[in-house]
Amino acid sequence: MERPAAPSILVVEDNPTNMLLVRTLLARLPCRLIEAASGAQALAEVDADLPDLILMDLQLPDIDGLSLTRRLKEADGTRQIPIIALTAHAMAGDEEKARAAGCDGYLTKPLDTRSFCPYVQRYLTDAGGGES
Ligand code: MN
């Protein structure tokens, strides 16, 4: 019996504690997790295996998440991938900046463990669309 492959989610997050939390929460969803701890690693993962969704920490050690998002949204092969920004120390205007860079969704840390999975799932079932 063949079943459709579970959607893949690339999580770009350099903080091991946050990565562990995301991994734990996403274990509730039928998805395949790909993990990257830097922008360079994220680009390598995207090259190797196009994900269905990206969760993007905006504060990364090598490149900022907004630049990385712009880069992915400018490229023909990757612009269709929905990107949800994850940011700590959110300030007024940050969500607008993330949206302007091409992020389709926006979540602030600490993550709300109750609403996280339903929020992420919307971007999997509505591939390429997402909320506006
Ligand atoms: Mn970070």
Side-chain angles (χ1 to χ4, degrees):
M1 299 286 277
E2 281 212 30
R3 297 177 51 183
S8 56
I9 302 179
L10 170 62
V11 183
V12 189
E13 171 62 77
D14 62 307
N15 180 298
T17 307
N18 289 334
M19 183 65 94
L20 174 62
L21 175 61
V22 169
R23 193 187 298 139
T24 305
L25 293 172
L26 288 180
R28 301 173 190 168
L29 291 183
C31 66
R32 187 165 54 87
L33 211 62
I34 307 165
E35 300 182 7
S38 69
Q41 210 182 331
L43 287 171
E45 293 294 350
V46 166
D47 265 352
D49 185 4
L50 219 58
D52 294 300
L53 174 67
I54 298 175
L55 303 186
M56 178 79 75
D57 176 27
L58 296 186
Q59 295 86 27
L60 295 168
D62 53 347
I63 182 175
D64 75 275
L66 292 183
S67 302
L68 186 52
T69 297
R70 274 187 216 102
R71 185 164 164 175
L72 292 169
K73 290 294 183 178
E74 280 165 8
D76 283 337
T78 53
R79 72 162 51 96
Q80 78 285 359
I81 305 169
I83 298 179
I84 300 175
L86 306 177
T87 187
H89 317 297
M91 293 190 294
D94 281 359
E95 176 163 4
E96 288 69 23
K97 277 185 220 164
R99 302 267 181 197
C103 291
D104 302 277
Y106 183 83
L107 289 173
T108 55
K109 294 187 270 193
L111 295 172
D112 181 327
T113 56
R114 279 169 170 262
S115 60
F116 180 74
C117 276
Y119 186 87
V120 167
Q121 205 156 23
R122 290 219 302 270
Y123 291 84
L124 289 174
T125 50
D126 187 24
E131 60 168 15
S132 58

